[in-house]
Structure formats: C-alpha cells, structure tokens
Amino acid sequence: MGVGLARQATPLFSVQNFQEPESTMFKVRYSYLAQQFADPEPIFAELKKLVLSGDFTLGKVVGEFERKFADLIGVKHAIGVGSGTDALKLPLRALEIGHGDEVITAANTFIATVGAIAETGARPVLVDCDDSFCIDVAQVEAAITPRTKAIMPVQLTGEVTNMTELMKIAEKHGLPVVEDACQGILSEYDGKRSGTWGSAAGFSLHPLKNLNVWGDGGVVVTNDDAIDARLRLIRNHGMKNRDEISILGHNSRLDSVQAVVGNWLIGETHDITNKRIANGAYYDAGLGKISGIRLPPRRPNVKRVFHLYMVFAKDRDALYQYCLDRGVEAKVHYPIPLYQQEGLRPLGYPPGHFPVTDRHAALVISFPVDQHITRAQQDYVIEVVSDFYSKK
Ligand SMILES: *Cc1c(COP(=O)(O)O)cnc(C)c1O
C-alpha cells in the first residue's frame, strides 16, 4: 500500500461507491439498506393502491408526506421536491438569488451544496470549517461582500453549526439563511431544531440519508407563507394552474412512489435517530480511549444525530486499509477536499486555502453507526481499531 487515498486512481469519492449493494465480504458492512427494507410487502401494498388510483403527480400521498414532514420538524410548511440538491437550489430561487450574487457555505461540504448554489447562477463562496465539521462561524463575517445574498450553513455528519451566532451575523447584515440540513434531520443547537432557524432549509431523502426512500427525493421546509407559495410554483414549472405560468420554474416534484415509501418510514424517524445517538455514544466510550483516535468536540448544547460517525485518526490511510482487511467497511468522507477537485477549479481557490478542511481530509474516518448495526459489530470495530494502534 503506502499510497495516499487522495492519489488513488479510483477514489472513494465516486458515484459507484454510493450505489454498492450490501457486501458479504465484510463482517461489519457499511450499507444497511437491505436490512431496512427486508420486508417490502407493506410498501408494495400501498404502491398497488397508488397505481390503481393513477394519482401519480403531486397527489394525495405527496400531500400526506408533506404534512407529516412539517410536523416532524415543527415547521409550518414542507414542500416535496425532486432531490436534496433541489431542496437547496429552489429556496435560493424563491429568494430571487442568481447571476451576480454570492452565497456563503462551508468549504468541507458535500458537492451538492456547492452545486445547488452554482445552478442558480450565483457564486459559491467557501468558508473553512472547524473541528465540529461545520462552518467556522468566526470566519463568516469576513466573507460577506456587497454581493452576498444568503448564507447556507451545512449540518454535516449530523453535527450542527453554531446557529445562535450565525443567525446574529445574518441578521446584522440582513442576509437570509438557508440551512443545508440534508444530513441533520432532528438535530438541534441550543434546543432548537435544524431546519427551523432561517428562511428555509433543505432535507434529502436519498437512500443514504437517515430518513430515506428508494431513489431521489427532497423536502424544503419554511415558516414563511410567501416562500412556501413561491416554492410550490417553482417546483412545478411555475404553473399557477393548467393554463397560466406565473414565473419560470423547474420540474422538481417529489415523486409519488417515493412519497409512499416516505409515508411508510417517517413514523420511525425518532427511533432511527435515537438508535444512532446511542450507537454514537457507544463508539465514543470505546474508541475515545484509543490513543490514535481523537473524537471531535462533543458540545453539550448540540443534539448530533450521527448521520456519520466520523473521528480523527493518526495514520488514517493505514488504519483505513487495516479495517478493510479485517472486514470492517470503514469510509472516508472525503479524501479530496471539494475546493481542490478539478470540477471546482473555476472557483479559483488555491491548494492550502482552507487548512482545516485540508487537515480533515487527511485525518477523518467514518464507521457504520446506522440503526441496524449490532453491539457485537460495534465491539468488533473497536477491537480492530485498538489492535491497529497496539501493533504500532
Ligand atoms: C445528500 C446531501 C445533499 C443533496 O442531497 P441529494 O438528495 O443527493 O441531492 C446536499 N447536501 C448534503 C450535505 C448532503 O449530504
């Protein structure tokens, strides 16, 4: 080995990686989807009703899901859209953000955040993260220019940005906040839920997210009636009714088939979250004692929902390989910082521009923390990591 992840020909950061079926090679697999949907019969029964009703676009099941989702988060409105990416892009469009504008977001985010901003025509302006994996709020103000039109904090890994401070900065500068809460369903900062802070927030229902469906789907939430009304137009071609178009919109509706799956699962979201939190605490107790592992700060005013269980590891590349060899399907989110990706070169950030993001790319490792992992599997992960460092 000895080859850094960032230099491998087929990086982990690939499309295939997101679609791998459950692997039998691993004692501790990463994907739990086959377990989660092991008995699809009740969903098939609901899908049969949908098919027989012919109610395929924005019908009853989508409305039901939107109501349940709004109640779950504790907001007035939830609008189902085509993906988590669109759940970030469409609220920016509803706020009339586009060409010539700038939107501030975290340098260490997943590509979709930056992609959503760029799709509106606005320029993504990146700010480094801190060890919470969220935007370093102390650096946000320096990134604000006369062109800044919104701030998009990212609740990455299920951690939460210091929203109390960020909202103060946003209010001082009169800037709307649109949260990227795709990884943060039911997370909280200072007792307030992600998705309820700003003008709007986007959630993803992608198969890899904590509340997931069988393909793409997303939800925008807002307490603002005007934004809700605009979003309902924008996601459906800007059509006021069959014959009248009031604004140029998109085709980005939450698919009815996915709404059926969502309706089946949404009642379990609190259970899923609580299991992930318990699993995270169990790892903290076991892995936190190992000298080569450093846990991120566990701020007591944050309810983190462990979309990912991500820690800092000495000799990360070697540990990662050791885990794979011993049957633990660890992951690295992500080995190449976004701003150093070829596709983002036009943004013009030179290597080294975001030192914390760079440091994280070299140190982070993620272990499976989903609601289906067993304590025996977690014990095995802890044992393998412990063995790795005791041999050094
Ligand atoms: C998954 C994700 C998105 C986008 O979600 P899709 O549903 O895949 O479009 C956006 N931001 C973050 C941080 C995500 O993890």
Side-chain angles (χ1 to χ4, degrees):
M1 283 316 289
V3 176
L5 288 173
R7 277 169 277 126
Q8 282 177 3
T10 46
L12 301 168
F13 199 50
S14 71
V15 171
Q16 283 84 348
N17 195 47
F18 286 89
Q19 290 163 354
E20 263 168 25
E22 186 177 349
S23 171
T24 49
M25 284 162 43
F26 291 103
K27 279 193 187 162
V28 185
R29 85 294 174 268
Y30 200 85
S31 176
Y32 56 95
L33 292 177
Q35 281 167 286
Q36 186 177 356
F37 296 112
D39 176 18
E41 292 303 330
I43 307 176
F44 290 161
E46 290 303 316
L47 286 174
K48 186 170 179 186
K49 285 189 215 159
L50 174 74
V51 171
L52 295 175
S53 76
D55 190 15
F56 292 140
T57 49
L58 294 182
K60 183 164 152 275
V61 289
V62 172
E64 253 171 51
F65 182 74
E66 290 177 335
R67 195 62 263 142
K68 287 181 185 170
F69 199 92
D71 290 347
L72 179 70
I73 305 301
V75 287
K76 215 162 152 192
H77 307 288
I79 303 98
V81 297
S83 68
T85 308
D86 281 0
L88 304 173
K89 174 179 74 179
L90 301 188
L92 294 179
R93 284 226 48 209
L95 292 164
E96 303 191 285
I97 291 166
H99 290 279
D101 299 334
E102 294 175 356
V103 177
I104 293 172
T105 194
N108 65 325
T109 188
F110 176 57
I111 174 62
T113 323
V114 169
I117 295 167
E119 270 193 80
T120 68
R123 179 187 166 77
V125 171
L126 306 182
V127 169
D128 211 353
C129 61
D130 58 29
D131 279 355
S132 74
F133 305 124
C134 297
I135 198 166
D136 181 354
V137 173
Q139 295 189 45
V140 167
E141 213 160 8
I144 296 174
T145 75
R147 291 173 173 236
T148 307
K149 290 289 147 52
I151 305 173
M152 187 171 277
V154 185
Q155 317 308 14
L156 205 75
T157 74
E159 271 290 348
V160 192
T161 306
N162 180 344
M163 293 304 296
T164 306
E165 275 311 305
L166 187 74
M167 291 309 295
K168 281 186 200 156
I169 295 166
E171 274 154 30
K172 180 174 157 199
H173 293 269
L175 293 170
V177 167
V178 177
E179 274 178 79
D180 179 343
C182 288
Q183 299 191 4
I185 194 163
L186 295 184
S187 61
E188 295 174 8
Y189 192 90
D190 280 345
K192 188 169 158 60
R193 210 163 260 169
S194 295
T196 66
W197 291 88
S199 302
F203 290 87
S204 169
L205 304 172
H206 183 281
L208 288 186
K209 301 299 153 81
N210 288 14
L211 169 61
N212 52 4
V213 296
W214 290 353
D216 282 304
V219 189
V220 188
V221 299
T222 182
N223 283 316
D224 185 315
D225 296 343
I227 291 176
D228 172 60
R230 278 181 71 80
L231 281 168
R232 288 183 191 281
L233 288 170
I234 288 172
R235 72 163 170 189
N236 194 25
H237 305 294
M239 287 169 83
K240 211 156 70 176
N241 55 48
R242 256 203 75 183
D243 303 315
E244 291 171 276
I245 316 299
S246 58
I247 41 179
L248 273 180
H250 298 262
N251 176 353
S252 183
R253 299 174 291 245
L254 176 61
D255 194 276
S256 303
V257 170
Q258 304 307 344
V260 166
V261 182
N263 281 331
W264 177 81
L265 191 59
I266 193 167
E268 288 175 41
T269 316
H270 283 284
D271 276 352
I272 290 170
T273 306
N274 292 338
K275 280 186 189 146
R276 284 173 174 268
I277 290 171
N279 292 345
Y282 194 76
Y283 273 142
D284 273 6
L287 294 172
K289 285 192 287 219
I290 300 172
S291 65
I293 296 291
R294 184 167 64 83
L295 304 183
R298 297 305 190 200
R299 299 164 294 167
N301 60 335
V302 172
K303 180 182 171 188
R304 63 191 61 74
V305 296
F306 290 104
H307 171 64
L308 303 177
Y309 183 87
M310 190 152 99
V311 293
F312 303 107
K314 197 163 156 261
D315 295 319
R316 193 276 316 277
D317 287 358
L319 172 65
Y320 171 73
Q321 190 56 51
Y322 186 82
C323 286
L324 296 184
D325 293 345
R326 296 270 314 260
V328 172
E329 195 178 12
K331 299 269 179 193
V332 173
H333 302 92
Y334 305 96
I336 307 173
L338 194 55
Y339 81 97
Q340 294 201 26
Q341 297 279 352
E342 187 185 348
L344 280 89
R345 275 202 203 127
L347 293 183
Y349 295 112
H353 199 77
F354 299 107
V356 180
T357 294
D358 285 347
R359 181 160 53 75
H360 286 188
L363 291 178
V364 294
I365 188 162
S366 311
F367 299 109
V369 71
D370 58 87
Q371 62 274 21
H372 292 279
I373 196 165
T374 63
R375 278 291 139 84
Q377 286 175 308
Q378 288 195 281
D379 285 337
Y380 184 69
V381 171
I382 295 163
E383 180 192 317
V384 167
V385 174
S386 175
D387 286 354
F388 172 78
Y389 288 110
S390 67
K391 285 189 183 133
K392 299 194 71 81

